[in-house]
Amino acid sequence: MLSTQPYKGVRDFYPDEFKKRQYIFDTWRSTLVKTGFSEYDASILEPANLYTEKSGEELGSKQLYSFTDKGDREVALRPEWTPTLARMVSAKFGEIAFPLRWFCIPNCFRYERPQKGRLREFWQLNADIIGLEAGLSDLEILRVLSVLFESFKAPKESYSIRYNHRGLLDMWIVNEIGEDKKQQVYDLLDSWKKLDDRERKETMLEQGFTSEQSQKIQELANCAGLSYETYLTYSKNFTELATIQSTISEICPNSNFIFDPTIVRGIAYYTGLVFEAFDENPENSRALFGGGRYDNLLELFGKHAPAIGFGWGDVTMGEFLTNWDLWPSFEEKTTTGVMVENKESIPELYTKILPELETKGVTYIVDYDTERSENKRWQALKKKGCGEIIKV
Amino acid sequence: MLSTQPYKGVRDFYPDEFKKRQYIFDTWRSTLVKTGFSEYDASILEPANLYTEKSGEELGSKQLYSFTDKGDREVALRPEWTPTLARMVSAKFGEIAFPLRWFCIPNCFRYERPQKGRLREFWQLNADIIGLEAGLSDLEILRVLSVLFESFKAPKESYSIRYNHRGLLDMWIVNEIGEDKKQQVYDLLDSWKKLDDRERKETMLEQGFTSEQSQKIQELANCAGLSYETYLTYSKNFTELATIQSTISEICPNSNFIFDPTIVRGIAYYTGLVFEAFDENPENSRALFGGGRYDNLLELFGKHAPAIGFGWGDVTMGEFLTNWDLWPSFEEKTTTGVMVENKESIPELYTKILPELETKGVTYIVDYDTERSENKRWQALKKKGCGEIIKV
């Protein structure tokens, strides 16, 4: 006998779970369309070298679902959306009228140990503006994120959107710590919130930071002290960041935007603004979404267009909506029972009764079993949730 | 430099192509919801034995995308939906209130040579009624198919829905040809429309049919002669078929239903009514959809529930809509250009102007480039299709 279990780390969406997923997708979709984005899509199968030719990332190797097809092609299930976007934009580079505002809701696959908030298959909203240099399009993306949270009716205290700037962070590291330590500082800040104070100190010692350097990193991460003051001074060099800092609370009064130097975004390709959102409920500790500016998006294809975008996953978002009791009540349609008493009336049933119920937006259950007693049929239809029962 | 081509036999859906696909999906979805079906879904990854343990089918071997995952599990990309449905229903067999009316729109993968109407990845509406024995639920499914064509505004002359009955066909073969020839008759009828008269005769000769048997098969396939008369007489043994034959034209006056003994449906699991729809434009020769009754659906999982359903693919359906000029006009939203003249007005732009445009359902393109001449900016926005242009 075959097992009825799905493959490890993926989900079955029965109608009740499907409704929830669809609510998330519909809310994303209607908000993005409203704010001027166009939807697009591609296959989940991609040539494997789209992921393996990028410089030494985790996704390029052990987390990638890849295999050789029957025609000896190396093929992969996409682990993330961005390379597909880069491929598609590059393929029509000459014909496309920039700026693009594009979004999609693909599923992605990563081979990893399934755990809370992290599965082998997840769905992810991806939205990008391509063809506008750093500047006000950065603000536009942040505003879209705020409008998205409003669409989910998320109260201001339920989440924070934290942002930083990779150019600024690089400037600070080069001037205050030393360029040779760049990757270590990145990694350290990236894991900062997951470590306790002792672990942080141990890590800095292991990495060979001097006590002066450790002090500076701590000040930066804690947003306090001289190092943080220096950081703020440097930030004036990045005009899009200065604009965000001075206007964001006025533009998005319903969202809590926080400037946070520990936001790094592991992935190498970010070049400017970076951001992540967090559920304020600490049980849901993984980022709800993340993104930023990545002006080298098309580099692998020998093209250039500045870009900013984000990815927002369905798994942590579902947990967020549960934590804050934000699921809508999924109204069941009224169900009408239709009891066939006379087989002669079948044409009437299909040409008149059912079309009328459908026009009214009523669901129906038809009981054709004329052999059973009327009483039993009545009770069975009632048990299945039928309000009204019609006899034909 | 990486290639910008997608993987062989799959499609990129740029916004224009996406709109078309979405029109098909939305039409399927709204019609199925209206007729009382609930949507559900699963992952495209399934344990490979879900397909390989079935008795010797084409899908079980050379067309299946399967591979070994990094944890030594045999995993497959689903080549069809039905085994997943069987798995999901079996998993909750005790809790589910039958009858189920479920539908989904999954993508499926088959390793084959890409050709007209046939790709390595296709999307397919799957709708099933589970838990009702052969009878009026067969008629209900046929009516849903007719309503679906109406939703696409397909004229009656553009398509035909052809149906047959596997129990009837078996009865005829056993009585008129001989049980030992069952599979050969199946295969012959299945390929009947693709062969010309000479090829048919050659095949029958090769298969060792006597000239009397060949005569009978020809009469049956051509719906003429004594053998076809006998077939019609036998058909009275199958009450659901008799009901369909006597009422379908009254119930579905806008669809052309044709009783056609050559409809077999290759797949082994059908047990009763079988049907396929065809574009009347011979250029689009593959079936638009196919389905039937398969009461042994849950057999692999040691359960039993009668079922009837169908699968309707997006590729041939797109060609059908093109052939008969049935695509709707995809109205572009009006686009308003917003020219930022004064960076001080940014908060107003985001808190007032854009929300107003969004409420009106208008798309916008914001031009932030205050350095350029007003005339050039105006012309650029006009070129991008902006009707109105607002300055802020």
Side-chain angles (χ1 to χ4, degrees):
Chain A
M1 206 95 77
L2 282 181
S3 161
T4 60
Q5 288 298 305
Y7 170 65
K8 187 174 178 180
V10 305
R11 290 165 288 173
D12 286 334
F13 294 91
Y14 287 86
D16 283 347
E17 289 97 44
F18 186 88
K19 271 180 208 162
K20 289 183 160 188
R21 190 183 89 181
Q22 202 59 25
Y23 168 69
I24 295 178
F25 289 8
D26 285 346
T27 307
W28 280 340
R29 181 171 280 140
S30 61
T31 307
L32 269 295
V33 168
K34 190 177 81 171
T35 53
F37 286 74
S38 300
E39 193 164 359
Y40 69 117
D41 197 14
S43 174
I44 55 157
L45 286 186
E46 288 281 2
N49 64 1
L50 194 55
Y51 311 104
T52 53
E53 289 204 4
K54 286 197 305 179
S55 50
E57 270 176 44
E58 202 177 21
L59 290 181
S61 52
K62 64 182 201 293
Q63 294 197 349
L64 188 69
Y65 274 95
S66 63
F67 60 96
T68 309
D69 80 3
K70 295 181 206 293
D72 264 339
R73 283 183 180 78
E74 284 299 314
V75 58
L77 273 62
R78 62 183 169 226
E80 54 166 335
W81 178 255
T82 305
T84 300
L85 167 64
R87 183 180 61 67
M88 287 178 67
V89 174
S90 300
K92 301 222 173 184
F93 196 76
E95 319 161 32
I96 285 174
F98 293 99
L100 299 178
R101 280 178 179 75
W102 278 6
F103 81 97
C104 61
I105 308 177
N107 48 346
C108 300
F109 294 83
R110 291 184 190 176
Y111 188 79
E112 51 189 339
R113 194 169 57 81
Q115 49 188 297
K116 190 172 159 60
R118 206 155 195 166
L119 295 168
R120 289 187 176 176
E121 181 187 30
F122 56 93
W123 294 79
Q124 191 181 60
L125 167 66
N126 283 264
D128 296 271
I129 299 177
I130 301 169
L132 290 179
E133 300 287 348
L136 289 163
S137 62
D138 299 49
L139 198 55
E140 217 179 300
I141 279 280
L142 294 184
R143 176 188 170 254
V144 168
L145 291 167
S146 173
V147 175
L148 278 160
F149 273 116
E150 283 176 39
S151 304
F152 284 106
K153 303 190 171 38
K156 190 170 177 174
E157 67 276 14
S158 62
Y159 66 95
S160 61
I161 303 175
R162 292 167 182 271
Y163 63 99
N164 192 14
H165 193 287
R166 286 280 279 263
L168 166 59
L169 186 60
D170 286 355
M171 182 183 272
W172 183 86
I173 295 172
V174 170
N175 287 331
E176 305 293 324
I177 308 287
E179 182 147 26
D180 57 319
K181 290 277 190 207
K182 198 168 115 176
Q183 193 57 48
Q184 282 111 307
V185 178
Y186 273 18
D187 294 344
L188 189 62
L189 291 175
D190 212 23
S191 62
W192 195 261
K193 290 194 175 64
K194 289 167 214 145
L195 304 177
D196 66 24
D197 211 47
R198 217 197 52 193
E199 290 166 327
R200 289 165 187 162
K201 285 188 173 132
E202 277 174 13
T203 310
M204 287 191 281
L205 208 61
E206 279 165 23
Q207 300 274 347
F209 287 107
T210 66
S211 62
E212 193 203 356
Q213 287 171 332
S214 298
Q215 173 72 18
K216 283 183 176 179
I217 292 169
Q218 267 180 295
E219 285 177 1
L220 184 72
N222 297 332
C223 297
L226 187 62
S227 291
Y228 180 61
E229 297 299 322
T230 313
Y231 200 70
L232 289 182
T233 313
Y234 288 147
S235 80
K236 301 200 169 49
N237 292 302
F238 301 90
T239 54
E240 76 275 29
L241 189 61
T243 308
I244 291 166
Q245 288 174 311
S246 63
T247 62
I248 195 72
S249 62
E250 188 180 352
I251 288 171
C252 305
N254 301 322
S255 290
N256 196 12
F257 280 91
I258 298 173
F259 179 58
D260 182 343
T262 68
I263 300 299
V264 178
R265 305 284 301 146
I267 303 170
Y269 52 54
Y270 291 104
T271 54
L273 181 72
V274 284
F275 49 82
E276 289 183 351
F278 294 91
D279 188 341
E280 286 297 300
N281 182 329
E283 293 284 297
N284 193 16
S285 62
R286 290 180 198 283
L288 293 171
F289 61 69
R293 175 163 288 281
Y294 45 121
D295 287 343
N296 302 323
L297 170 67
L298 308 182
E299 189 170 64
L300 271 176
F301 301 94
K303 302 275 189 294
H304 181 78
I308 185 164
F310 63 88
W312 188 331
D314 73 319
V315 183
T316 47
M317 190 57 193
E319 289 176 11
F320 172 75
L321 295 175
T322 300
N323 286 340
W324 297 91
D325 202 12
L326 295 175
W327 292 108
S329 60
F330 295 104
E331 262 178 77
E332 291 294 328
K333 285 175 158 191
T334 319
T335 304
T336 296
V338 184
M339 207 192 285
V340 177
E341 292 196 307
N342 179 354
K343 299 231 168 173
E344 306 300 304
S345 51
I346 290 294
E348 193 200 348
L349 170 69
Y350 288 116
T351 55
K352 196 165 160 290
I353 313 270
L354 297 191
E356 274 175 18
L357 292 173
E358 289 162 4
T359 307
K360 277 202 253 173
V362 169
T363 308
Y364 46 79
I365 299 174
V366 186
D367 175 355
Y368 299 107
D369 193 0
T370 51
E371 321 262 292
R372 250 170 121 203
S373 86
E374 186 175 314
N375 191 27
K376 280 199 178 145
R377 298 171 73 193
W378 188 280
Q379 301 210 330
L381 286 170
K382 280 286 171 195
K383 210 172 147 189
K384 283 174 186 157
C386 296
E388 209 182 341
I389 293 177
I390 302 172
K391 299 179 195 172
V392 291
Chain B
M1 206 94 76
L2 282 181
S3 161
T4 59
Q5 288 298 305
Y7 171 65
K8 188 174 177 181
V10 305
R11 290 164 287 174
D12 286 334
F13 295 91
Y14 287 86
D16 283 347
E17 289 98 43
F18 186 88
K19 270 180 210 163
K20 290 183 159 189
R21 191 184 89 181
Q22 201 59 24
Y23 167 69
I24 295 178
F25 289 7
D26 285 347
T27 308
W28 281 338
R29 181 169 280 141
S30 61
T31 307
L32 268 295
V33 167
K34 190 178 80 171
T35 53
F37 286 74
S38 300
E39 193 164 358
Y40 68 118
D41 197 15
S43 173
I44 55 159
L45 286 187
E46 288 281 3
N49 64 1
L50 194 55
Y51 310 104
T52 53
E53 288 203 6
K54 286 198 304 180
S55 50
E57 269 177 43
E58 202 177 22
L59 290 181
S61 52
K62 64 182 201 294
Q63 293 196 350
L64 188 68
Y65 274 95
S66 62
F67 60 95
T68 309
D69 80 2
K70 295 180 208 289
D72 263 339
R73 282 183 181 79
E74 284 299 314
V75 57
L77 274 62
R78 61 181 169 228
E80 53 167 334
W81 179 256
T82 306
T84 299
L85 168 63
R87 185 180 60 66
M88 287 178 67
V89 174
S90 299
K92 302 221 173 184
F93 196 75
E95 319 160 34
I96 285 176
F98 294 99
L100 299 177
R101 280 178 179 75
W102 279 6
F103 81 98
C104 60
I105 309 176
N107 48 346
C108 300
F109 294 83
R110 291 184 189 175
Y111 188 81
E112 52 189 340
R113 194 169 56 79
Q115 50 189 296
K116 190 173 161 61
R118 205 154 196 166
L119 296 169
R120 290 188 175 175
E121 180 187 29
F122 56 93
W123 294 78
Q124 191 180 60
L125 167 66
N126 283 265
D128 294 271
I129 299 178
I130 300 170
L132 290 179
E133 300 288 347
L136 289 162
S137 62
D138 298 51
L139 198 56
E140 217 180 299
I141 278 281
L142 293 184
R143 175 186 172 257
V144 167
L145 291 167
S146 174
V147 175
L148 278 161
F149 273 117
E150 282 177 38
S151 305
F152 284 107
K153 301 191 169 43
K156 190 170 178 175
E157 68 275 15
S158 63
Y159 66 96
S160 61
I161 303 176
R162 291 165 183 270
Y163 63 99
N164 192 15
H165 192 289
R166 285 279 281 262
L168 166 60
L169 187 59
D170 285 356
M171 181 183 272
W172 184 86
I173 295 172
V174 170
N175 287 330
E176 306 292 325
I177 307 286
E179 184 148 23
D180 58 317
K181 290 276 192 208
K182 198 168 115 174
Q183 194 57 49
Q184 280 112 308
V185 179
Y186 273 19
D187 294 344
L188 190 61
L189 292 176
D190 212 24
S191 61
W192 196 261
K193 290 194 174 66
K194 288 167 214 142
L195 304 177
D196 65 26
D197 212 48
R198 217 196 52 193
E199 290 166 329
R200 289 165 188 161
K201 285 187 173 132
E202 277 174 13
T203 310
M204 289 190 281
L205 207 61
E206 280 164 23
Q207 299 274 347
F209 288 105
T210 66
S211 63
E212 194 204 356
Q213 287 172 332
S214 297
Q215 174 71 19
K216 283 184 176 177
I217 293 168
Q218 266 178 296
E219 284 178 3
L220 183 72
N222 296 333
C223 298
L226 187 61
S227 292
Y228 181 60
E229 296 300 323
T230 313
Y231 199 70
L232 289 182
T233 313
Y234 288 147
S235 79
K236 301 204 169 45
N237 292 302
F238 302 89
T239 53
E240 75 276 27
L241 189 61
T243 307
I244 290 166
Q245 288 174 313
S246 63
T247 61
I248 194 74
S249 63
E250 189 180 348
I251 287 171
C252 306
N254 301 323
S255 290
N256 197 13
F257 280 91
I258 298 172
F259 180 58
D260 183 342
T262 68
I263 300 299
V264 178
R265 304 287 299 148
I267 302 170
Y269 53 55
Y270 291 104
T271 55
L273 181 72
V274 283
F275 49 82
E276 289 184 350
F278 294 92
D279 189 340
E280 287 296 301
N281 182 331
E283 294 284 297
N284 193 15
S285 63
R286 289 180 198 285
L288 293 170
F289 60 70
R293 175 163 287 282
Y294 43 121
D295 287 341
N296 303 323
L297 170 67
L298 308 182
E299 190 170 62
L300 272 176
F301 301 95
K303 302 274 189 294
H304 181 75
I308 185 164
F310 64 87
W312 189 330
D314 72 318
V315 182
T316 46
M317 189 57 194
E319 288 176 13
F320 172 76
L321 296 175
T322 300
N323 286 340
W324 296 91
D325 203 12
L326 295 174
W327 292 109
S329 61
F330 295 104
E331 261 178 78
E332 291 294 328
K333 285 176 156 189
T334 321
T335 305
T336 296
V338 183
M339 207 192 283
V340 177
E341 293 196 307
N342 178 355
K343 299 231 168 174
E344 306 301 303
S345 52
I346 289 295
E348 193 201 347
L349 170 69
Y350 288 115
T351 55
K352 196 163 161 289
I353 314 271
L354 297 192
E356 274 175 18
L357 292 173
E358 289 163 5
T359 306
K360 277 201 254 175
V362 169
T363 309
Y364 46 80
I365 298 173
V366 186
D367 175 354
Y368 299 106
D369 193 359
T370 51
E371 320 263 290
R372 249 168 121 204
S373 85
E374 185 174 314
N375 191 28
K376 280 199 177 145
R377 297 171 73 192
W378 187 280
Q379 302 211 328
L381 286 170
K382 280 285 171 194
K383 210 173 148 189
K384 284 174 187 157
C386 296
E388 209 183 339
I389 294 177
I390 302 172
K391 300 180 196 173
V392 290

